[in-house]
Amino acid sequence: MEEAAPCPPPSATIRPIDRTSVHRICSGQVVLSLGTAVKELVENSLDAGATNIDIKLKDHGAELIEVSDNGGGVEEENFEGLTLKHYTSKIQDFSDLIHVETFGFRGEALSSLCALSDVTIFTCHKSAKVGTRLVFDHNGTITQRAPFPRQQGTTVSVQQLFYTLPVRHKEFQRNIKKEYAKMVQLLQAYCVVCKGVRINCTNQVGQGRKSCVISTAGSPSLKENIAAVFGQKQLQSLIPFVQLPPSEAVCEEYGLNSADLPQNLYSITGFISHCDHGVGRSTTDRQFFYINQRPCDPAKVVKLVNEVYHLHNKHQYPFVVLNIGVDSECVDINVTPDKRQILLQEEKFLLAILKTSLMEMFGSDVNKLNVNQKLLDIAGNLKKTLPEETEKPQVEILSDSETESPSGEGKRTMTLSRLRESFSLHQTAESCFQSPKKVKQRQNPSRQLLLDTTVSTAKTQKAVLTKEPENCHKMDSKVSVPSRYLRKSEANADSGFCSISESDAGCSTPEAGSCFNGESAVNSEEEFCSTEEQLQKECLKTAGCSEKSLDCDVQVLGTEPQLDKGNDWTDQRKCSQEANSSSPRVKRFKSRNFKSKADDFEAGKYPEVKNTSVDVLVEVKKKIVPLEFSMKVLAEKVKKVIQQQQKSTETENYRRFKAKISPGDNKVAEDELRKEISKEMFAKMEIIGQFNLGFIIAKLNSDLFIIDQHATDEKYNFEMLQQHTALQGQKLIVPQNLNLTAVNETVLIENLEIFRKNGFDFVINENAPVTQRVKLISLPTSKNWTFGPQDIDELIFMLSDSPGVMCRPSRVRQMFASRACRKSVMIGTALSVQEMRKLITHMGEIEHPWNCPHGRPTMRHIVSLDMISSE
Ligand code: ADP
Ligand code: MG
């Protein structure tokens, strides 16, 4: 499509879009975010064979992204093609794709960046005497070219990303912190996997100091890269992945016949958290998957790894770095523009290997710890109770085999998996990095297939967590999911209930706020209009929003007092023939129309009517029609209308609440309630009485509802605790170092207030080196609950997604839930009408009244009295 046909456009309406427009339309789809932009540039540097890559950001990348490398540089004859669409030095025809060993191959990134921002490139090819500075316009054409001194390599400078797309630019700037956090996650994946490449990223806000975002040392070892990015301490919790052939049982599970399985198709290496309680992470923030060293999101693999981990450590997520090596002929990377989705041959076989291996690793991991501890005892290592000491053996397990001199202790810490590891060296993660020769051989492959990525680990997380919302709907499931996801699903769930959830409030656009300021469903709907997905389709966005606002309009109209049934009805009698054919929505417009007309005739105040009614324009067109009919016809039609209306109200009632009271129907029931019951309606409910000392029966118009007195009170108390409790912190005797990454440290510093409200306090030393700036000095306390760095990690994870938005660690949520439970009216307590009224009024005051904090339903529709009487 992009290749516009050269023949003159025929007179028919289908014509090629002109090239410049196509370019603009498509560019926004290649580079979607800050993350993609940085990723593309880093990949280009890696493709150019760089061993040193410097990324310089200004204002988190909103102002400037500059990536410099010491790679091969660009030859003069290639200057013109550098930024042209689909110009690449990496493949020539489709068949090359099968063996493509570079990250890039589509020749789209630079040309897209040109279309979206101001691009300048400084480059000096190995063969050139002096470097060149090239300035490009939005079509990727060189506008300035001058000699520029620099060493071999290339610097690409991208200023004001997205400024050619005003709407996206605005959103981009507004969400820059979130974009930045995602970009860093993406970059981490490359920092970890790129052996022998030094990657350094800094950020400068305004005229402030440059702060280090990530820095790796160009080590040839995956392990050292992990340490450089996440701190030495992270290594202590990791075990190497040890690959096993799929077991019989697992083969059966996947429907594989072990006899005809391919040999040596996959070679999996990497590290994963060991499964002891507390050793994993509270979120999926550190999970990196690669296929032939190319960062990607293999959804099924991600899901499996987390599932197996959960079998051994129920409440946590593992740290994962896993590379799946496979013959490049068995992979298709050209699936999505960001190259993060990859198709694999024999995927089931891969899953079976993974499952068998992980089960074995975690199974033997338990033994490992016990053995270690005993041996330490014998050896007289006295500090055995300190966590560092018990962790020591695991460090050993991770150490490179060069350093694994068979010291007595090292030997004794050998376990099943360790044995296997030493006997299958070629399969273990570290073995890839042993000899420099090997490193060299591997380096190119390491750059082989990595290409354009986009939404990196964020996607991975999504993939892992897609099942969570389902879980949440099971009313009896306990709150074991990180609260972020619960909150997300609740937020979604309640979108119709005019609430802006904490996590989503941050996404609202200023425009959205000014368009709709009523406290109606409109508001929250509008919130959802401005999520990133919409950003990606700028044009669609506007359309989508207006569509929504149309809907909202109608909703608002529908609740206006002048449109209550009485009015509607009298008006309709007057204008019966019009109403005849119409749907309820049309009816409303028309009845209104008629009303204004009547006013118009009576008082001659047409302009005023116009002011009060939003729909006048529509009405004006339609008011020409009537009054040529005879009274007879009119009367007949009125009758019909009455009948139709009766029918429609009947079916409406029937349809409004059709979910059964049964756990399987909980989701449907909740959706219906959310749709039909607005906050104000609770106050209007009539209390019929108490049932079985546990339930309140209430009536609204002709609908009867049953309300669980304990569940509803519990939810109210819970929300109040969530909103108003400032947790008390207890000072630590010694300030504690947190080993945060540079980015997480920044997130923490920028959201100190939220941490304080949760009872965490810190001392910040601005002058300390990055990653050492924050020390924990106070932890929240409560009788039976202890909190620690895990909860801080979780908060950081939530806050990097929605900076500045008040949130609570999931365990604080759990604590509030149990407090709320104890505070609330119990089943078996007789209630007076006032007490019942209070409980129901409270339901109208909270954000998510439909289920208690543990997920049990609070309210269900029993029956519509209309339906009983009509039968
Ligand atoms: P692709 O990577 O898919 O080829 P790009 O638009 O990213 O497409 O890059 C276009 C071409 O520009 C590349 O094929 C490469 O030849 C050249 N190029 C881009 N960045 C660099 C760099 N940092 N060093 C050397 N050459 C580069
Ligand atoms: Mg590229």
Side-chain angles (χ1 to χ4, degrees):
M1 220 180 102
E2 287 135 46
E3 299 305 318
C7 57
S11 56
T13 40
I14 301 181
R15 272 189 232 141
I17 309 171
D18 73 272
R19 273 168 170 270
T20 328
S21 310
V22 171
H23 186 41
R24 285 188 82 175
I25 294 170
C26 299
S27 295
Q29 296 175 345
V30 177
V31 176
L32 299 169
S33 58
L34 178 66
T36 344
V38 172
K39 176 200 90 128
E40 292 290 342
L41 296 176
V42 169
E43 287 184 346
N44 279 347
S45 296
L46 292 168
D47 285 345
T51 53
N52 200 344
I53 303 175
D54 267 308
I55 305 154
K56 220 168 84 183
L57 305 174
K58 278 198 179 151
D59 292 343
H60 301 94
E63 188 58 40
L64 173 81
I65 308 162
E66 194 176 275
V67 178
S68 308
D69 64 55
N70 63 349
V74 185
E75 267 177 300
E76 196 171 341
E77 63 192 56
N78 285 333
F79 287 170
E80 299 287 339
L82 194 58
T83 51
L84 293 184
K85 190 108 188 150
H86 302 147
Y87 275 55
T88 178
S89 56
K90 299 168 192 173
I91 59 168
Q92 270 162 17
D93 62 36
F94 193 76
S95 62
D96 292 349
L97 206 56
I98 297 170
H99 297 290
V100 71
E101 302 205 338
T102 50
F103 287 101
F105 53 74
R106 296 195 187 123
E108 284 183 323
L110 288 183
S111 84
S112 297
L113 285 169
C114 283
L116 298 169
S117 61
D118 286 334
V119 174
T120 311
I121 296 180
F122 308 82
T123 187
C124 181
H125 190 253
K126 320 181 232 227
S127 62
K129 286 196 193 95
V130 66
T132 310
R133 173 176 180 269
L134 302 163
V135 181
F136 297 88
D137 68 8
H138 298 315
N139 296 320
T141 318
I142 299 173
T143 56
Q144 287 176 40
R145 178 175 172 164
F148 189 89
R150 68 153 291 152
Q151 290 181 326
Q152 181 192 319
T154 307
T155 300
V156 180
S157 149
V158 172
Q159 272 174 306
Q160 297 279 338
L161 183 60
F162 295 128
Y163 90 98
T164 55
L165 304 176
V167 180
R168 191 179 314 183
H169 190 223
K170 219 169 178 187
E171 285 295 317
F172 177 63
Q173 288 177 317
R174 210 170 53 77
N175 289 323
I176 189 67
K177 293 255 173 83
K178 212 166 147 180
E179 291 265 338
Y180 172 76
K182 282 190 177 165
M183 181 279 292
V184 173
Q185 274 241 323
L186 206 48
L187 191 58
Q188 282 171 349
Y190 289 84
C191 289
V192 167
V193 82
C194 291
K195 295 150 239 159
V197 184
R198 203 190 69 89
I199 300 179
N200 185 48
C201 177
T202 60
N203 176 38
Q204 182 185 22
V205 179
Q207 294 304 311
R209 268 199 316 184
K210 268 191 204 170
S211 63
C212 166
V213 181
I214 289 190
S215 175
T216 64
S219 152
S221 140
L222 193 62
K223 207 184 76 185
E224 277 174 35
N225 282 349
I226 294 174
V229 179
F230 300 109
Q232 201 68 33
K233 191 133 196 272
Q234 178 70 70
L235 291 180
Q236 298 171 2
S237 65
L238 303 182
I239 50 175
F241 184 87
V242 182
Q243 184 175 348
L244 291 180
S247 69
E248 291 276 318
V250 174
C251 278
E252 207 166 289
E253 186 186 326
Y254 282 97
L256 295 167
N257 184 352
S258 46
D260 44 55
L261 287 180
Q263 294 294 312
N264 306 326
L265 179 60
Y266 290 109
S267 149
I268 307 164
T269 54
F271 296 100
I272 187 164
S273 296
H274 72 73
C275 58
D276 280 5
H277 178 74
V279 173
R281 301 192 54 77
S282 45
T283 67
T284 55
D285 61 342
R286 294 186 185 171
Q287 301 194 343
F288 304 95
F289 295 87
Y290 309 87
I291 291 175
N292 293 338
Q293 322 266 350
R294 180 191 295 275
C296 62
D297 305 311
K300 287 186 190 157
V301 172
V302 177
K303 185 162 170 264
L304 176 88
V305 170
N306 282 286
E307 272 171 10
V308 177
Y309 192 80
H310 277 192
L311 294 176
H312 295 83
N313 183 354
K314 199 170 154 207
H315 297 296
Q316 289 194 304
Y317 300 89
F319 174 105
V320 187
V321 167
L322 218 53
N323 179 48
I324 299 161
V326 56
D327 198 37
S328 63
E329 282 169 28
C330 303
V331 213
D332 184 356
I333 35 178
N334 191 28
V335 182
T336 54
D338 63 6
K339 304 173 188 129
R340 300 279 307 188
Q341 309 305 320
I342 294 181
L343 293 182
L344 281 171
Q345 258 177 35
E346 308 284 350
E347 195 182 32
K348 275 189 184 166
F349 177 52
L350 169 67
L351 296 176
I353 297 176
L354 277 169
K355 186 159 186 181
T356 310
S357 311
L358 289 170
M359 299 282 270
E360 180 60 33
M361 284 164 59
F362 294 139
S364 54
D365 198 36
V366 180
N367 304 337
K368 199 185 296 178
L369 260 187
N370 293 342
V371 172
N372 289 338
Q373 276 160 353
K374 270 185 203 153
L375 287 170
L376 283 173
D377 286 345
I378 296 162
N381 271 345
L382 293 174
K383 289 177 213 156
K384 61 183 182 292
T385 46
L386 288 179
E388 280 91 334
E389 282 303 311
T390 45
E391 277 161 8
K392 219 178 190 173
Q394 292 139 30
V395 182
E396 291 240 347
I397 291 161
L398 285 188
S399 58
D400 293 332
S401 51
E402 310 144 22
T403 57
E404 277 169 25
S405 57
S407 78
E409 203 177 318
K411 260 187 186 167
R412 270 172 277 164
T413 55
M414 271 204 186
T415 63
L416 231 181
S417 59
R418 174 66 182 283
L419 273 174
R420 221 174 267 126
E421 188 194 346
S422 22
F423 284 112
S424 57
L425 263 183
H426 65 284
Q427 284 187 338
T428 68
E430 280 314 315
S431 59
C432 305
F433 313 105
Q434 296 319 314
S435 76
K437 261 186 212 161
K438 261 189 186 168
V439 173
K440 268 201 175 160
Q441 281 168 3
R442 277 267 165 176
Q443 252 169 34
N444 287 332
S446 83
R447 285 181 213 129
Q448 275 173 15
L449 301 177
L450 313 172
L451 287 176
D452 316 338
T453 358
T454 343
V455 200
S456 103
T457 351
K459 261 195 188 164
T460 321
Q461 289 149 11
K462 260 190 214 160
V464 186
L465 289 152
T466 36
K467 60 172 194 213
E468 304 290 16
E470 278 165 40
N471 287 348
C472 302
H473 295 305
K474 286 182 198 155
M475 290 285 188
D476 49 356
S477 70
K478 295 258 168 180
V479 200
S480 63
V481 187
S483 65
R484 168 170 185 259
Y485 301 102
L486 285 178
R487 288 187 315 130
K488 274 266 150 95
S489 58
E490 279 182 19
N492 290 336
D494 276 56
S495 61
F497 198 58
C498 46
S499 64
I500 307 169
S501 85
E502 294 167 351
S503 56
D504 293 296
C507 310
S508 69
T509 55
E511 306 94 278
S514 58
C515 284
F516 299 99
N517 45 15
E519 284 184 307
S520 67
V522 176
N523 217 335
S524 52
E525 289 226 26
E526 188 58 26
E527 296 294 336
F528 287 99
C529 284
S530 57
T531 59
E532 314 155 90
E533 285 162 37
Q534 251 110 0
L535 293 183
Q536 299 173 2
K537 301 164 198 162
E538 197 172 311
C539 324
L540 289 179
K541 182 193 167 200
T542 8
C545 279
S546 57
E547 227 174 80
K548 270 179 191 158
S549 52
L550 229 183
D551 282 349
C552 301
D553 237 347
V554 173
Q555 275 179 25
V556 174
L557 287 178
T559 55
E560 264 176 43
Q562 58 173 357
L563 287 175
D564 63 21
K565 275 195 176 161
N567 275 345
D568 218 346
W569 175 226
T570 37
D571 289 339
Q572 251 162 27
R573 243 183 244 166
K574 290 185 202 163
C575 65
S576 55
Q577 74 273 43
E578 274 185 48
N580 190 11
S581 61
S582 44
S583 71
R585 198 186 285 182
V586 180
K587 269 181 217 159
R588 281 186 193 128
F589 281 115
K590 288 186 177 160
S591 57
R592 199 172 233 267
N593 164 21
F594 217 87
K595 202 174 174 190
S596 56
K597 253 200 273 174
D599 287 352
D600 196 4
F601 288 132
E602 273 168 34
K605 284 183 194 163
Y606 189 76
E608 213 181 288
V609 177
K610 202 173 180 179
N611 282 343
T612 55
S613 164
V614 195
D615 324 302
V616 177
L617 275 180
V618 183
E619 293 154 11
V620 172
K621 275 186 200 158
K622 293 187 179 176
K623 72 179 172 183
I624 315 159
V625 190
L627 296 178
E628 285 174 26
F629 294 97
S630 71
M631 281 308 288
K632 251 189 191 174
V633 180
L634 240 172
E636 262 175 39
K637 290 197 170 171
V638 170
K639 247 188 198 172
K640 268 190 194 166
V641 171
I642 299 170
Q643 281 168 0
Q644 266 184 0
Q645 217 193 17
Q646 270 174 354
K647 263 187 203 163
S648 76
T649 46
E650 268 171 37
T651 47
E652 217 176 275
N653 282 339
Y654 172 69
R655 276 194 198 134
R656 269 169 60 200
F657 297 102
K658 65 177 178 189
K660 289 194 204 92
I661 304 185
S662 114
D665 260 17
N666 274 344
K667 164 127 183 40
V668 188
E670 212 179 297
D671 288 345
E672 283 173 357
L673 287 167
R674 194 179 313 115
K675 187 164 154 256
E676 299 295 336
I677 311 286
S678 66
K679 280 194 173 185
E680 316 75 62
M681 290 183 180
F682 287 105
K684 293 184 194 140
M685 285 186 182
E686 185 186 331
I687 312 285
I688 305 291
Q690 193 184 20
F691 167 66
N692 220 13
L693 291 183
F695 300 90
I696 303 165
I697 309 293
K699 178 168 164 285
L700 181 69
N701 303 325
S702 54
D703 290 308
L704 279 190
F705 296 95
I706 182 166
I707 293 152
D708 180 326
Q709 64 190 42
H710 176 71
T712 192
D713 195 29
E714 189 178 0
K715 189 53 177 278
Y716 175 78
N717 289 327
F718 173 73
E719 283 204 11
M720 291 302 127
L721 284 170
Q722 282 268 83
Q723 278 170 32
H724 303 297
T725 315
L727 281 176
Q728 288 299 313
Q730 189 177 49
K731 285 252 178 311
L732 301 180
I733 300 172
V734 186
Q736 191 182 341
N737 213 328
L738 288 172
N739 299 300
L740 299 174
T741 60
V743 182
N744 285 356
E745 193 178 80
T746 314
V747 172
L748 189 150
I749 294 173
E750 282 170 358
N751 293 284
L752 268 188
E753 241 347 274
I754 294 173
F755 282 93
R756 291 203 175 115
K757 282 202 185 124
N758 281 301
F760 294 99
D761 206 353
F762 307 89
V763 275
I764 313 284
N765 178 1
E766 289 287 353
N767 297 320
V770 179
T771 74
Q772 306 292 316
R773 286 183 294 173
V774 175
K775 283 203 163 68
L776 177 69
I777 51 166
S778 171
L779 275 173
T781 48
S782 182
K783 269 183 213 157
N784 303 317
W785 296 79
T786 45
F787 296 92
Q790 292 285 344
D791 303 292
I792 299 176
D793 280 341
E794 195 191 352
L795 268 183
I796 290 176
F797 185 60
M798 293 184 213
L799 287 166
S800 41
D801 206 42
S802 23
V805 179
M806 180 61 197
C807 55
R808 304 273 190 192
S810 52
R811 293 178 56 252
V812 170
R813 246 187 85 101
Q814 280 174 44
M815 182 176 80
F816 285 159
S818 92
R819 272 194 207 169
C821 179
R822 274 177 273 131
K823 256 175 91 161
S824 306
V825 178
M826 290 297 159
I827 300 285
T829 314
L831 296 178
S832 69
V833 173
Q834 285 81 2
E835 285 165 327
M836 291 190 269
R837 154 89 27 234
K838 196 172 102 190
L839 291 182
I840 291 180
T841 318
H842 279 165
M843 291 184 86
E845 292 167 11
I846 57 180
E847 297 300 327
H848 310 296
W850 309 117
N851 44 40
C852 85
H854 301 106
R856 281 185 299 276
T858 49
M859 166 167 156
R860 284 291 175 266
H861 180 255
I862 312 177
V863 74
S864 163
L865 298 177
D866 279 347
M867 287 190 51
I868 296 174
S869 55
S870 70
E871 268 165 29

